[in-house]
Amino acid sequence: MSISISVDLELMWGFIGMGGGRFFLEDPSMGRDNVLWLLDELDRYEVPITFFTVGHLFLYPDEAPNIIHPDLPQFRRKILSWDFYSQILGKKLYHAPDIIEEIKSRKMHEVGLHGFFHIPFNELTEEEARAEMELSMKASKMRNISPEGMAFPKDREGKLKILREYGISFVRGGSYSDRNKLSLARRLIRSSVSVEEGLTVINSSYFLDTRGSFFTIPLLKMEIMRKRHVHFWFHPWNLYSGRGGLLDFLAYIRRLRNEKGLEILTL
């Protein structure tokens, strides 16, 4: 039996288009503080995880203008407004190479991709998807990272063949929530790992509620009974609402590892 955990490292990108999101643009507790706290706790429990990172976060503010321009297809079709982008360029929570280096320094974690501008891939044309991947790969290599994995923004899968062209070998499937149109019942029936378009898809993904373990630990117990690999994910900003559930979960899986031989893996 094995388990993996991933964090969607968006910092502020996940709030684009959400009511009130811009209010938090400079609030470190929504991003950096939570990630640094998380890294220390993962060290304490000796738990490796995968950070799926929005590509723009790999860049320092003075690096972004060298590879991003208003003629990119994402701006031409007005999926993103160049005016809005020019306003957030240089904002602290849209650039996080310092956090990436801190993750790398811990030696046991993995860094994957989460789109470049956090646009759902099912809404992109092939040209736009390739632009997202091109930018993500270029930015990650500037931090000496060669990503093999991808988690889709908002869990909306799409353009798997294009991901494979850019060296991606595995993707994280969606959560059991309604937003990906897979009910919990269908998620439980579905195989935990499958192969689609030549990519390995990790399907048994559950949202890890960092506030409390009322649902997460029973879900883990259920998957252990089924002898399946199981995967949990959350965002750094979820820790803003509470941390007790995550600590309970980490303590539980550490005990299972020590007493039952549970494997804790990166994706």
Side-chain angles (χ1 to χ4, degrees), residues 11 28 30-37 92-93 95-99:
L11 296 188
M30 300 300 288
R32 277 177 171 76
D33 290 357
N34 284 334
V35 176
L36 294 174
W37 175 87
K92 186 176 182 181
L93 293 187
H95 303 270
D98 55 318
I99 292 294

Side-chain angles (χ1 to χ4, degrees), residues 5 19 25 55 84 89 93 98 100 112 122 141-142 151 186 197 201 203 207 209 216 222 229 234 242 251 258 260:
I5 305 172
L25 285 182
F84 173 66
L89 183 63
L93 293 187
D98 55 318
I100 303 301
N122 67 331
K141 287 179 180 177
M142 292 171 72
R186 289 180 63 193
E197 301 288 357
V201 181
N203 290 314
F207 174 68
D209 190 341
T216 52
M222 177 184 61
H229 173 83
F234 62 98
N258 294 341
K260 305 291 186 181

Side-chain angles (χ1 to χ4, degrees), residues 16-241:
I16 286 185
M18 296 175 63
R22 298 188 192 189
F23 177 76
F24 295 105
L25 285 182
E26 297 296 341
D27 185 350
S29 68
M30 300 300 288
R32 277 177 171 76
D33 290 357
N34 284 334
V35 176
L36 294 174
W37 175 87
L38 173 63
L39 288 170
D40 288 341
E41 292 302 314
L42 294 172
D43 282 349
R44 184 160 72 94
Y45 288 97
E46 299 181 288
V47 170
I49 69 174
T50 300
F51 286 89
F52 287 115
T53 307
V54 171
H56 196 278
L57 298 180
F58 289 110
L59 301 174
Y60 286 105
D62 62 341
E63 294 174 330
N66 296 327
I67 65 173
I68 302 166
H69 52 83
D71 291 332
L72 286 168
Q74 297 94 318
F75 296 108
R76 289 203 313 268
R77 194 158 66 91
K78 300 189 183 302
I79 299 175
L80 293 173
S81 161
W82 179 256
D83 290 339
F84 173 66
Y85 179 71
S86 64
Q87 293 173 26
I88 66 172
L89 183 63
K91 295 288 186 180
K92 186 176 182 181
L93 293 187
Y94 289 91
H95 303 270
D98 55 318
I99 292 294
I100 303 301
E101 293 301 328
E102 186 64 32
I103 292 169
K104 287 170 56 181
S105 74
R106 305 300 174 111
K107 304 297 184 184
M108 63 178 172
H109 305 301
E110 176 182 37
V111 178
L113 298 180
H114 195 40
F116 189 81
F117 289 118
H118 199 262
I119 306 171
F121 266 54
N122 67 331
E123 298 178 6
L124 298 175
T125 66
E126 290 196 358
E127 179 191 25
E128 291 157 355
R130 285 193 170 87
E132 284 280 306
M133 294 304 298
E134 193 76 34
L135 290 169
S136 295
M137 287 297 181
K138 188 177 294 186
S140 62
K141 287 179 180 177
M142 292 171 72
R143 306 280 82 87
N144 296 312
I145 293 172
S146 298
E148 298 179 48
M150 170 90 171
F152 290 101
K154 300 185 180 180
D155 291 335
R156 297 178 190 170
E157 300 180 15
K159 312 299 187 295
L160 292 179
K161 290 182 180 180
I162 291 176
L163 267 60
R164 192 175 58 185
E165 292 174 15
Y166 284 87
I168 297 299
S169 60
F170 70 91
V171 295
R172 191 201 70 198
S175 74
Y176 66 87
S177 62
D178 289 337
R179 66 182 177 181
N180 65 359
K181 300 182 181 179
L182 278 180
S183 68
L184 176 57
R186 289 180 63 193
R187 174 65 60 189
L188 297 179
I189 293 171
R190 196 174 179 184
S191 173
S192 60
V193 180
S194 62
V195 177
E196 300 176 28
E197 301 288 357
L199 298 177
T200 300
V201 181
I202 309 297
N203 290 314
S204 53
S205 296
Y206 299 106
F207 174 68
L208 200 167
D209 190 341
T210 63
R211 299 168 298 175
S213 55
F214 182 79
F215 290 106
T216 52
I217 289 179
L219 283 170
L220 175 58
K221 289 179 178 179
M222 177 184 61
E223 295 288 9
I224 288 174
M225 290 177 59
R226 302 178 73 199
K227 298 181 179 180
R228 302 201 319 171
H229 173 83
V230 60
H231 171 70
F232 289 85
W233 65 272
F234 62 98
H235 305 95
W237 47 266
N238 292 129
L239 296 167
Y240 185 79
S241 301

Side-chain angles (χ1 to χ4, degrees), residues 242-261:
R243 299 175 174 183
L246 175 63
L247 294 178
D248 290 345
F249 188 80
L250 292 176
Y252 183 71
I253 62 175
R254 179 175 65 178
R255 180 160 62 84
L256 288 182
R257 178 180 59 197
N258 294 341
E259 297 177 3
K260 305 291 186 181

